[in-house]
Amino acid sequence: MSLAPHGPITANRVPVASYPTYQEAEKAVDFLSDHGFHVQGTLIVGVGLRSVEQVVSRMTYLRAIGLGAASGAWFGVLIGLFLGIFSPRMTLAVVLWGLIWGLIAGAIYGLIAHSVHGGRRDFVSESGLVADKYEVLVESELVPRAQELLGQIGKSTG
């Protein structure tokens, strides 16, 4: 099933409003819902999508070791809990050994993984999709009522 503007999902839906942020579009749909509008089937569609990668920090060997150790510790605790559940006597020692070995293995893995990159991609980043605008689409037979309600908050563009 396609999410494209002219695909099967949006085939009988019409844009009634456009907003610069998702939060504003969300407030508009909430406003419609609060005023008894049948919101089932209403869509918030991001238009003009682009991928944005925000650099958070520099990746150093120490940070790679720390991040690897942290993820390894979580994995080690989970393995320790799993083994502890099926052992005749669940002891805290099994969980602690899992934590310690996970920490060590994760730190080593983090160091090796960062070293393999050979200086490429020496940064930590977060990726996401952002849109130029967000359109609220409703079923074509509900357009007049949606425009009337959205006109009360001064945001109707349809």
Side-chain angles (χ1 to χ4, degrees):
M1 200 171 258
S2 172
L3 289 177
H6 300 291
I9 291 177
T10 60
N12 66 337
R13 290 176 180 78
V14 177
V16 291
S18 179
Y19 301 92
T21 66
Y22 176 81
Q23 290 75 18
E24 290 177 82
E26 187 178 46
K27 283 181 185 178
V29 174
D30 189 46
F31 181 84
L32 291 172
S33 178
D34 291 346
H35 288 82
F37 185 80
H38 181 72
V39 292
Q40 184 177 352
T42 299
L43 300 175
I44 298 175
V45 178
V47 178
L49 292 179
R50 59 183 187 260
S51 176
V52 175
E53 184 172 9
Q54 181 176 356
V55 176
V56 177
S57 63
R58 185 174 194 280
M59 178 61 80
T60 63
Y61 283 102
L62 187 58
R63 179 163 287 154
I65 291 169
L67 291 173
S71 63
W74 277 111
F75 185 71
V77 166
L78 290 175
I79 295 297
L81 286 171
F82 181 75
L83 292 175
I85 289 171
F86 294 108
S87 71
R89 53 191 167 158
M90 183 180 166
T91 63
L92 187 59
V94 174
V95 176
L96 287 175
W97 274 111
L99 170 72
I100 291 167
W101 282 109
L103 232 157
I104 293 168
I108 292 169
Y109 176 78
L111 177 63
I112 291 170
H114 182 62
S115 297
V116 167
H117 282 98
R120 293 182 322 270
R121 190 146 176 99
D122 281 345
F123 59 90
V124 179
S125 64
E126 297 173 352
S127 296
L129 288 176
V130 295
D132 293 330
K133 64 180 179 176
Y134 296 86
E135 291 182 345
V136 175
L137 283 69
V138 299
E139 293 178 7
S140 54
E141 62 271 7
L142 301 174
V143 169
R145 178 73 177 135
Q147 288 176 332
E148 175 190 332
L149 286 171
L150 291 174
Q152 293 175 13
I153 58 173
K155 297 287 184 186
S156 182
T157 63

